[in-house]
Amino acid sequence: MTPFQTLADEARLALANLGDAATSLAVPTLRIGVTGLARSGKTVFITALVHNLIHGGRLPLFSAASGGRIARAYLQPQPDDAVPRFDYEAHVAALTGDRVWPHSTRQVSELRLTIEFESTSYLSRKLGSGKLHLDIIDYPGEWLLDLPLLKKSYAEFAAEAVRLARGANRTGLSDEWLTIAGGLDPQGPESEMDAQRLSAAFKSYLSACRADTHALSMLPPGRFLMPGDLDGSPALTFAPLDIPFDAAAGRPGTLLAMMERRFEAYKTHVIRPFFRDHFARLDRQIVLVDALHALNAGPTALSDLQSALGEVLTAFRPGRRSWLGSILTRRIDRILFAATKADHLHRDDHDRLQKILKRLVARGIERAEFSGAEVEVLAMAAVRATREATVKQDGQELPAILGTPLPGEMIDGRSFDGEREIAMFPGDLPEDPDSLFEAPDSDPEALHTGADAAHEETGADLRFLRFRPPRLDRTAEGMPLSLPHIRLDRALEFLIGDRLS
């Protein structure tokens, strides 16, 4: 971005923050961003959070709830009229009625939850009942991968994309796109047909990388896999050419100049509005990480997830909260990193999952804490889909989990129908998370060897199935109970507990 663009964006942000501060004088507002890469559980987290607060769920570690200080929580119309509403009611129906997981996040959405509570402060209690507007902003983590592109030229973006595509973990997935790119002359005349052919092959490559078999995460541009209303527009019809990172700008009328122009349009019309209108106005942030999905796909997927999270975390604007400073410049003063789907493991492995996540986001934690933000890491399940049990196998007692696998899930060649409950031992995570990362990223074979050694240490292969949402118990009056969870109360305490004191 040019200095003028940066200055203009900061001025607009300051005006937006001033407006937010003015509207918060009567009732304080806390804006929380919820993000994570595909299938990390963003929609489920928001739905479970709201459902438990509205219906008085069991939240023993959330002090405002366990202390009986929450009078009620209810939904209100959101303040941003141009942002789609998070479809809470449909997601609750899917989880509790149909027992299916709701659709993944495809765009920015928002929900306002108002909490009325009794303050722990004597003066605040005398002045009246406390009230907090909780604005929850849901957005795809893949879009965060785009924010670093604001500081890159097209040549830098293209060279980096080609380098990743030639890595051993993407061999075969990128062949069609690289073949097409290699057959095009960047200095040749611009061609809409060539642009569409190249872009389609590049998007197919990104889609193949994201499939469960590979579960790769470093897949910018993020909007290519979820285009929305920009599908087919020139701003989304470009792709990397095979050029060096320091290549000179293309001459007018060339294919290279066409790709550069569309790359800049993508930054102008897609990335910058997202940063300015949504991301830069957050007070707090939770980052959901599906580490088990990457572990299922193998060590190269885990390494790729670490790289993607590193890129995502560079986009945050962490800092210590200051009332005066927040009027003009917002900073994220608390960041929660949560490893999701802890219910797919026995509780004995939750600490190990937490250590793996801490290892994955170590650089982001260090940067956030240096800037003055508070950081927490935990393993959680916003909706608990399994129960724990002990099973006997060959005379040995093993900790197991009980649940109903989703239709089509397979293990040892056996496919499940979505109706029958099973008991399974998913395996133990390694005691030392470094054993999963000790091999250098540039040596995929060594990385596999390191992971295999970790599996040998545990004595079992790791295998994580996806389970159906639980069947909810009902009260004596026939009312369904709130959605069960693992450590959702800890997440709430960290994210909003201080604002309800």
PDB file of all heavy atoms in Angstrom, residues 460-486:
ATOM      1  N   ALA A 460       0.944 -46.809  19.666  1.00  0.00           N
ATOM      2  CA  ALA A 460      -0.288 -46.902  18.884  1.00  0.00           C
ATOM      3  C   ALA A 460      -0.319 -45.814  17.837  1.00  0.00           C
ATOM      4  O   ALA A 460       0.198 -44.731  18.054  1.00  0.00           O
ATOM      5  CB  ALA A 460      -1.508 -46.772  19.793  1.00  0.00           C
ATOM      6  N   ASP A 461      -0.919 -46.126  16.695  1.00  0.00           N
ATOM      7  CA  ASP A 461      -1.108 -45.117  15.668  1.00  0.00           C
ATOM      8  C   ASP A 461      -2.221 -44.173  16.103  1.00  0.00           C
ATOM      9  O   ASP A 461      -3.161 -44.570  16.784  1.00  0.00           O
ATOM     10  CB  ASP A 461      -1.485 -45.780  14.329  1.00  0.00           C
ATOM     11  CG  ASP A 461      -0.288 -46.477  13.702  1.00  0.00           C
ATOM     12  OD1 ASP A 461       0.839 -46.048  13.992  1.00  0.00           O
ATOM     13  OD2 ASP A 461      -0.506 -47.445  12.952  1.00  0.00           O
ATOM     14  N   LEU A 462      -2.118 -42.942  15.672  1.00  0.00           N
ATOM     15  CA  LEU A 462      -3.146 -41.962  15.989  1.00  0.00           C
ATOM     16  C   LEU A 462      -4.202 -41.990  14.891  1.00  0.00           C
ATOM     17  O   LEU A 462      -3.875 -41.976  13.705  1.00  0.00           O
ATOM     18  CB  LEU A 462      -2.528 -40.566  16.086  1.00  0.00           C
ATOM     19  CG  LEU A 462      -1.420 -40.411  17.136  1.00  0.00           C
ATOM     20  CD1 LEU A 462      -0.803 -39.030  17.018  1.00  0.00           C
ATOM     21  CD2 LEU A 462      -1.963 -40.629  18.524  1.00  0.00           C
ATOM     22  N   ARG A 463      -5.472 -42.034  15.286  1.00  0.00           N
ATOM     23  CA  ARG A 463      -6.554 -42.033  14.303  1.00  0.00           C
ATOM     24  C   ARG A 463      -7.753 -41.360  14.941  1.00  0.00           C
ATOM     25  O   ARG A 463      -8.247 -41.806  15.971  1.00  0.00           O
ATOM     26  CB  ARG A 463      -6.919 -43.465  13.879  1.00  0.00           C
ATOM     27  CG  ARG A 463      -8.021 -43.511  12.829  1.00  0.00           C
ATOM     28  CD  ARG A 463      -7.525 -42.942  11.510  1.00  0.00           C
ATOM     29  NE  ARG A 463      -8.529 -43.032  10.466  1.00  0.00           N
ATOM     30  CZ  ARG A 463      -9.348 -42.040  10.134  1.00  0.00           C
ATOM     31  NH1 ARG A 463      -9.296 -40.899  10.788  1.00  0.00           N
ATOM     32  NH2 ARG A 463     -10.210 -42.181   9.149  1.00  0.00           N
ATOM     33  N   PHE A 464      -8.214 -40.275  14.338  1.00  0.00           N
ATOM     34  CA  PHE A 464      -9.304 -39.509  14.919  1.00  0.00           C
ATOM     35  C   PHE A 464     -10.491 -39.495  13.968  1.00  0.00           C
ATOM     36  O   PHE A 464     -10.393 -39.007  12.844  1.00  0.00           O
ATOM     37  CB  PHE A 464      -8.849 -38.082  15.219  1.00  0.00           C
ATOM     38  CG  PHE A 464      -7.586 -38.030  16.037  1.00  0.00           C
ATOM     39  CD1 PHE A 464      -6.376 -37.673  15.469  1.00  0.00           C
ATOM     40  CD2 PHE A 464      -7.622 -38.380  17.374  1.00  0.00           C
ATOM     41  CE1 PHE A 464      -5.216 -37.642  16.222  1.00  0.00           C
ATOM     42  CE2 PHE A 464      -6.461 -38.351  18.142  1.00  0.00           C
ATOM     43  CZ  PHE A 464      -5.262 -37.985  17.558  1.00  0.00           C
ATOM     44  N   LEU A 465     -11.607 -40.064  14.415  1.00  0.00           N
ATOM     45  CA  LEU A 465     -12.840 -40.054  13.648  1.00  0.00           C
ATOM     46  C   LEU A 465     -13.624 -38.778  13.938  1.00  0.00           C
ATOM     47  O   LEU A 465     -13.411 -38.114  14.948  1.00  0.00           O
ATOM     48  CB  LEU A 465     -13.707 -41.265  14.010  1.00  0.00           C
ATOM     49  CG  LEU A 465     -13.155 -42.652  13.690  1.00  0.00           C
ATOM     50  CD1 LEU A 465     -14.149 -43.710  14.139  1.00  0.00           C
ATOM     51  CD2 LEU A 465     -12.861 -42.798  12.199  1.00  0.00           C
ATOM     52  N   ARG A 466     -14.553 -38.458  13.055  1.00  0.00           N
ATOM     53  CA  ARG A 466     -15.488 -37.365  13.302  1.00  0.00           C
ATOM     54  C   ARG A 466     -16.808 -37.971  13.779  1.00  0.00           C
ATOM     55  O   ARG A 466     -17.318 -38.913  13.192  1.00  0.00           O
ATOM     56  CB  ARG A 466     -15.699 -36.542  12.023  1.00  0.00           C
ATOM     57  CG  ARG A 466     -14.488 -35.725  11.633  1.00  0.00           C
ATOM     58  CD  ARG A 466     -14.693 -34.975  10.337  1.00  0.00           C
ATOM     59  NE  ARG A 466     -14.791 -35.886   9.204  1.00  0.00           N
ATOM     60  CZ  ARG A 466     -14.973 -35.482   7.946  1.00  0.00           C
ATOM     61  NH1 ARG A 466     -15.105 -34.209   7.683  1.00  0.00           N
ATOM     62  NH2 ARG A 466     -15.041 -36.354   6.977  1.00  0.00           N
ATOM     63  N   PHE A 467     -17.347 -37.391  14.863  1.00  0.00           N
ATOM     64  CA  PHE A 467     -18.541 -37.939  15.504  1.00  0.00           C
ATOM     65  C   PHE A 467     -19.733 -37.004  15.324  1.00  0.00           C
ATOM     66  O   PHE A 467     -19.583 -35.798  15.150  1.00  0.00           O
ATOM     67  CB  PHE A 467     -18.284 -38.152  17.004  1.00  0.00           C
ATOM     68  CG  PHE A 467     -17.272 -39.217  17.303  1.00  0.00           C
ATOM     69  CD1 PHE A 467     -15.925 -38.904  17.404  1.00  0.00           C
ATOM     70  CD2 PHE A 467     -17.670 -40.532  17.476  1.00  0.00           C
ATOM     71  CE1 PHE A 467     -14.986 -39.886  17.679  1.00  0.00           C
ATOM     72  CE2 PHE A 467     -16.739 -41.525  17.753  1.00  0.00           C
ATOM     73  CZ  PHE A 467     -15.391 -41.200  17.849  1.00  0.00           C
ATOM     74  N   ARG A 468     -20.930 -37.575  15.407  1.00  0.00           N
ATOM     75  CA  ARG A 468     -22.153 -36.788  15.354  1.00  0.00           C
ATOM     76  C   ARG A 468     -22.319 -35.999  16.646  1.00  0.00           C
ATOM     77  O   ARG A 468     -21.839 -36.413  17.707  1.00  0.00           O
ATOM     78  CB  ARG A 468     -23.370 -37.701  15.159  1.00  0.00           C
ATOM     79  CG  ARG A 468     -23.472 -38.354  13.803  1.00  0.00           C
ATOM     80  CD  ARG A 468     -24.795 -39.097  13.681  1.00  0.00           C
ATOM     81  NE  ARG A 468     -25.934 -38.166  13.679  1.00  0.00           N
ATOM     82  CZ  ARG A 468     -27.207 -38.553  13.660  1.00  0.00           C
ATOM     83  NH1 ARG A 468     -27.496 -39.851  13.660  1.00  0.00           N
ATOM     84  NH2 ARG A 468     -28.178 -37.657  13.633  1.00  0.00           N
ATOM     85  N   PRO A 469     -23.003 -34.864  16.584  1.00  0.00           N
ATOM     86  CA  PRO A 469     -23.324 -34.149  17.831  1.00  0.00           C
ATOM     87  C   PRO A 469     -24.108 -35.047  18.770  1.00  0.00           C
ATOM     88  O   PRO A 469     -24.798 -35.981  18.346  1.00  0.00           O
ATOM     89  CB  PRO A 469     -24.171 -32.967  17.340  1.00  0.00           C
ATOM     90  CG  PRO A 469     -23.768 -32.762  15.916  1.00  0.00           C
ATOM     91  CD  PRO A 469     -23.471 -34.136  15.389  1.00  0.00           C
ATOM     92  N   PRO A 470     -24.031 -34.776  20.079  1.00  0.00           N
ATOM     93  CA  PRO A 470     -24.676 -35.668  21.056  1.00  0.00           C
ATOM     94  C   PRO A 470     -26.191 -35.519  21.065  1.00  0.00           C
ATOM     95  O   PRO A 470     -26.731 -34.499  20.639  1.00  0.00           O
ATOM     96  CB  PRO A 470     -24.084 -35.183  22.386  1.00  0.00           C
ATOM     97  CG  PRO A 470     -23.838 -33.723  22.143  1.00  0.00           C
ATOM     98  CD  PRO A 470     -23.391 -33.618  20.712  1.00  0.00           C
ATOM     99  N   ARG A 471     -26.846 -36.547  21.566  1.00  0.00           N
ATOM    100  CA  ARG A 471     -28.285 -36.463  21.816  1.00  0.00           C
ATOM    101  C   ARG A 471     -28.477 -35.793  23.180  1.00  0.00           C
ATOM    102  O   ARG A 471     -27.965 -36.269  24.191  1.00  0.00           O
ATOM    103  CB  ARG A 471     -28.909 -37.863  21.815  1.00  0.00           C
ATOM    104  CG  ARG A 471     -30.416 -37.874  21.650  1.00  0.00           C
ATOM    105  CD  ARG A 471     -30.942 -39.294  21.705  1.00  0.00           C
ATOM    106  NE  ARG A 471     -30.281 -40.179  20.762  1.00  0.00           N
ATOM    107  CZ  ARG A 471     -30.617 -40.289  19.478  1.00  0.00           C
ATOM    108  NH1 ARG A 471     -31.612 -39.556  18.993  1.00  0.00           N
ATOM    109  NH2 ARG A 471     -29.966 -41.128  18.679  1.00  0.00           N
ATOM    110  N   LEU A 472     -29.185 -34.667  23.213  1.00  0.00           N
ATOM    111  CA  LEU A 472     -29.292 -33.896  24.442  1.00  0.00           C
ATOM    112  C   LEU A 472     -30.247 -34.537  25.437  1.00  0.00           C
ATOM    113  O   LEU A 472     -31.324 -35.021  25.063  1.00  0.00           O
ATOM    114  CB  LEU A 472     -29.771 -32.471  24.145  1.00  0.00           C
ATOM    115  CG  LEU A 472     -28.800 -31.539  23.417  1.00  0.00           C
ATOM    116  CD1 LEU A 472     -29.339 -30.116  23.418  1.00  0.00           C
ATOM    117  CD2 LEU A 472     -27.415 -31.571  24.041  1.00  0.00           C
ATOM    118  N   ASP A 473     -29.830 -34.551  26.698  1.00  0.00           N
ATOM    119  CA  ASP A 473     -30.733 -34.974  27.767  1.00  0.00           C
ATOM    120  C   ASP A 473     -31.802 -33.905  27.975  1.00  0.00           C
ATOM    121  O   ASP A 473     -31.637 -32.745  27.573  1.00  0.00           O
ATOM    122  CB  ASP A 473     -29.950 -35.181  29.068  1.00  0.00           C
ATOM    123  CG  ASP A 473     -28.978 -36.344  28.967  1.00  0.00           C
ATOM    124  OD1 ASP A 473     -29.276 -37.292  28.210  1.00  0.00           O
ATOM    125  OD2 ASP A 473     -27.919 -36.288  29.623  1.00  0.00           O
ATOM    126  N   ARG A 474     -32.899 -34.300  28.625  1.00  0.00           N
ATOM    127  CA  ARG A 474     -34.001 -33.362  28.872  1.00  0.00           C
ATOM    128  C   ARG A 474     -34.309 -33.283  30.360  1.00  0.00           C
ATOM    129  O   ARG A 474     -34.064 -34.224  31.118  1.00  0.00           O
ATOM    130  CB  ARG A 474     -35.254 -33.784  28.097  1.00  0.00           C
ATOM    131  CG  ARG A 474     -35.087 -33.652  26.581  1.00  0.00           C
ATOM    132  CD  ARG A 474     -36.330 -34.017  25.811  1.00  0.00           C
ATOM    133  NE  ARG A 474     -36.160 -33.779  24.384  1.00  0.00           N
ATOM    134  CZ  ARG A 474     -36.438 -32.631  23.781  1.00  0.00           C
ATOM    135  NH1 ARG A 474     -36.951 -31.630  24.490  1.00  0.00           N
ATOM    136  NH2 ARG A 474     -36.246 -32.483  22.490  1.00  0.00           N
ATOM    137  N   THR A 475     -34.861 -32.162  30.743  1.00  0.00           N
ATOM    138  CA  THR A 475     -35.276 -31.981  32.131  1.00  0.00           C
ATOM    139  C   THR A 475     -36.551 -32.774  32.397  1.00  0.00           C
ATOM    140  O   THR A 475     -37.167 -33.330  31.475  1.00  0.00           O
ATOM    141  CB  THR A 475     -35.534 -30.491  32.422  1.00  0.00           C
ATOM    142  OG1 THR A 475     -36.652 -30.058  31.635  1.00  0.00           O
ATOM    143  CG2 THR A 475     -34.321 -29.649  32.093  1.00  0.00           C
ATOM    144  N   ALA A 476     -36.990 -32.790  33.661  1.00  0.00           N
ATOM    145  CA  ALA A 476     -38.233 -33.485  34.013  1.00  0.00           C
ATOM    146  C   ALA A 476     -39.433 -32.881  33.306  1.00  0.00           C
ATOM    147  O   ALA A 476     -40.440 -33.553  33.057  1.00  0.00           O
ATOM    148  CB  ALA A 476     -38.433 -33.436  35.532  1.00  0.00           C
ATOM    149  N   GLU A 477     -39.318 -31.592  32.935  1.00  0.00           N
ATOM    150  CA  GLU A 477     -40.406 -30.915  32.219  1.00  0.00           C
ATOM    151  C   GLU A 477     -40.316 -31.127  30.714  1.00  0.00           C
ATOM    152  O   GLU A 477     -41.135 -30.602  29.957  1.00  0.00           O
ATOM    153  CB  GLU A 477     -40.383 -29.417  32.515  1.00  0.00           C
ATOM    154  CG  GLU A 477     -40.685 -29.041  33.962  1.00  0.00           C
ATOM    155  CD  GLU A 477     -39.485 -29.284  34.862  1.00  0.00           C
ATOM    156  OE1 GLU A 477     -38.341 -29.330  34.328  1.00  0.00           O
ATOM    157  OE2 GLU A 477     -39.674 -29.442  36.078  1.00  0.00           O
ATOM    158  N   GLY A 478     -39.300 -31.863  30.259  1.00  0.00           N
ATOM    159  CA  GLY A 478     -39.164 -32.147  28.836  1.00  0.00           C
ATOM    160  C   GLY A 478     -38.350 -31.137  28.062  1.00  0.00           C
ATOM    161  O   GLY A 478     -38.251 -31.234  26.838  1.00  0.00           O
ATOM    162  N   MET A 479     -37.734 -30.162  28.752  1.00  0.00           N
ATOM    163  CA  MET A 479     -36.921 -29.158  28.065  1.00  0.00           C
ATOM    164  C   MET A 479     -35.507 -29.685  27.859  1.00  0.00           C
ATOM    165  O   MET A 479     -34.927 -30.299  28.759  1.00  0.00           O
ATOM    166  CB  MET A 479     -36.870 -27.866  28.889  1.00  0.00           C
ATOM    167  CG  MET A 479     -38.224 -27.197  29.074  1.00  0.00           C
ATOM    168  SD  MET A 479     -38.902 -26.621  27.508  1.00  0.00           S
ATOM    169  CE  MET A 479     -37.719 -25.322  27.130  1.00  0.00           C
ATOM    170  N   PRO A 480     -34.933 -29.477  26.648  1.00  0.00           N
ATOM    171  CA  PRO A 480     -33.562 -29.954  26.409  1.00  0.00           C
ATOM    172  C   PRO A 480     -32.556 -29.149  27.221  1.00  0.00           C
ATOM    173  O   PRO A 480     -32.711 -27.947  27.421  1.00  0.00           O
ATOM    174  CB  PRO A 480     -33.367 -29.720  24.907  1.00  0.00           C
ATOM    175  CG  PRO A 480     -34.334 -28.643  24.552  1.00  0.00           C
ATOM    176  CD  PRO A 480     -35.505 -28.826  25.458  1.00  0.00           C
ATOM    177  N   LEU A 481     -31.524 -29.837  27.730  1.00  0.00           N
ATOM    178  CA  LEU A 481     -30.464 -29.164  28.462  1.00  0.00           C
ATOM    179  C   LEU A 481     -29.542 -28.429  27.493  1.00  0.00           C
ATOM    180  O   LEU A 481     -29.627 -28.592  26.269  1.00  0.00           O
ATOM    181  CB  LEU A 481     -29.675 -30.189  29.284  1.00  0.00           C
ATOM    182  CG  LEU A 481     -30.477 -30.940  30.356  1.00  0.00           C
ATOM    183  CD1 LEU A 481     -29.593 -31.969  31.044  1.00  0.00           C
ATOM    184  CD2 LEU A 481     -31.047 -29.970  31.383  1.00  0.00           C
ATOM    185  N   SER A 482     -28.644 -27.625  28.039  1.00  0.00           N
ATOM    186  CA  SER A 482     -27.704 -26.890  27.190  1.00  0.00           C
ATOM    187  C   SER A 482     -26.659 -27.851  26.614  1.00  0.00           C
ATOM    188  O   SER A 482     -26.467 -28.970  27.112  1.00  0.00           O
ATOM    189  CB  SER A 482     -27.026 -25.782  27.992  1.00  0.00           C
ATOM    190  OG  SER A 482     -26.381 -26.321  29.130  1.00  0.00           O
ATOM    191  N   LEU A 483     -26.004 -27.392  25.571  1.00  0.00           N
ATOM    192  CA  LEU A 483     -25.031 -28.234  24.881  1.00  0.00           C
ATOM    193  C   LEU A 483     -23.844 -28.544  25.797  1.00  0.00           C
ATOM    194  O   LEU A 483     -23.270 -27.641  26.408  1.00  0.00           O
ATOM    195  CB  LEU A 483     -24.529 -27.512  23.627  1.00  0.00           C
ATOM    196  CG  LEU A 483     -25.555 -27.374  22.494  1.00  0.00           C
ATOM    197  CD1 LEU A 483     -25.137 -26.301  21.508  1.00  0.00           C
ATOM    198  CD2 LEU A 483     -25.726 -28.713  21.778  1.00  0.00           C
ATOM    199  N   PRO A 484     -23.460 -29.837  25.905  1.00  0.00           N
ATOM    200  CA  PRO A 484     -22.308 -30.190  26.740  1.00  0.00           C
ATOM    201  C   PRO A 484     -21.010 -29.716  26.089  1.00  0.00           C
ATOM    202  O   PRO A 484     -20.937 -29.532  24.869  1.00  0.00           O
ATOM    203  CB  PRO A 484     -22.377 -31.719  26.796  1.00  0.00           C
ATOM    204  CG  PRO A 484     -23.051 -32.103  25.513  1.00  0.00           C
ATOM    205  CD  PRO A 484     -24.055 -31.010  25.234  1.00  0.00           C
ATOM    206  N   HIS A 485     -19.981 -29.531  26.893  1.00  0.00           N
ATOM    207  CA  HIS A 485     -18.740 -28.964  26.372  1.00  0.00           C
ATOM    208  C   HIS A 485     -17.560 -29.435  27.204  1.00  0.00           C
ATOM    209  O   HIS A 485     -17.718 -30.075  28.258  1.00  0.00           O
ATOM    210  CB  HIS A 485     -18.810 -27.436  26.415  1.00  0.00           C
ATOM    211  CG  HIS A 485     -18.948 -26.889  27.804  1.00  0.00           C
ATOM    212  ND1 HIS A 485     -17.878 -26.660  28.647  1.00  0.00           N
ATOM    213  CD2 HIS A 485     -20.057 -26.567  28.538  1.00  0.00           C
ATOM    214  CE1 HIS A 485     -18.297 -26.201  29.809  1.00  0.00           C
ATOM    215  NE2 HIS A 485     -19.620 -26.135  29.772  1.00  0.00           N
ATOM    216  N   ILE A 486     -16.380 -29.094  26.761  1.00  0.00           N
ATOM    217  CA  ILE A 486     -15.150 -29.265  27.530  1.00  0.00           C
ATOM    218  C   ILE A 486     -14.417 -27.929  27.539  1.00  0.00           C
ATOM    219  O   ILE A 486     -13.995 -27.428  26.494  1.00  0.00           O
ATOM    220  CB  ILE A 486     -14.231 -30.350  26.926  1.00  0.00           C
ATOM    221  CG1 ILE A 486     -14.925 -31.715  26.936  1.00  0.00           C
ATOM    222  CG2 ILE A 486     -12.901 -30.428  27.684  1.00  0.00           C
ATOM    223  CD1 ILE A 486     -14.118 -32.817  26.251  1.00  0.00           C
TER     224      ILE A 486
END
